[in-house]
Amino acid sequence: MSRTSLALVLSFAVLSATPAFAQDHAHGHDHAAGSVVAEAAEAATTIDAFHAALKAGDTAGALTFLAPDVMIFEEGGAERSRDEYASHHLGSDAAFAAASEATVTRRSGWADGDVAWVTSEGRTTGQFNGRAVDRLTTETMVLKRHSDGWRIHHIHWSSRAPR
């Protein structure tokens, strides 16, 4: 796996943590770790479902949360559609999510009409391909509300080793 692919997988896993985190923020609890406004709560739930599908190895299910024209940026690289992502990194992202544990430490989310954006910070640890994993992760997702629910239109992932 290339360095870019590994970083993508690491960052991707950040939100495979329990969906309760986003729901807790969505219900107006005041946490020092950020907040998701009520208008963005369903969008955050969509993100959590996307990551849960990856962790469960349900790649077909994960793809249902992505818009056909999703744009995924990571470490200077780009995947420019759901089909491109499916043919390149989806399988390795699911394998990584299943093999590691991701914790969200801060999440904020906002919405304006049918557009929402959610930012998350976290840590991913575990073992993958015989190597120890310990990465600090960030993720930004932009979603749009469609007639059948929220879809992810843009993802930006980043990760680094803890200092």
Side-chain angles (χ1 to χ4, degrees), residues 13 16 55 96-103 123-126:
S16 63
K55 187 154 185 74
F96 180 83
S100 62
E101 292 302 318
T103 304
R123 190 169 199 157
T124 299
T125 58

Side-chain angles (χ1 to χ4, degrees), residues 6-25:
L6 179 58
L8 173 66
V9 170
L10 291 167
S11 298
F12 203 135
V14 72
L15 286 178
S16 63
T18 177
F21 183 89
Q23 292 169 356
D24 203 20
H25 289 287

Side-chain angles (χ1 to χ4, degrees), residues 18-81:
T18 177
F21 183 89
Q23 292 169 356
D24 203 20
H25 289 287
H27 289 96
H29 297 339
D30 185 22
H31 295 282
S35 65
V36 175
V37 300
E39 296 82 5
E42 287 181 25
T45 299
T46 296
I47 293 168
D48 291 331
F50 170 72
H51 285 291
L54 283 176
K55 187 154 185 74
D58 181 8
T59 55
L63 289 174
T64 67
F65 299 105
L66 300 177
D69 63 346
V70 66
M71 178 71 79
I72 301 170
F73 290 162
E74 192 273 327
E75 288 201 18
E79 290 180 310
R80 293 171 183 83
S81 71

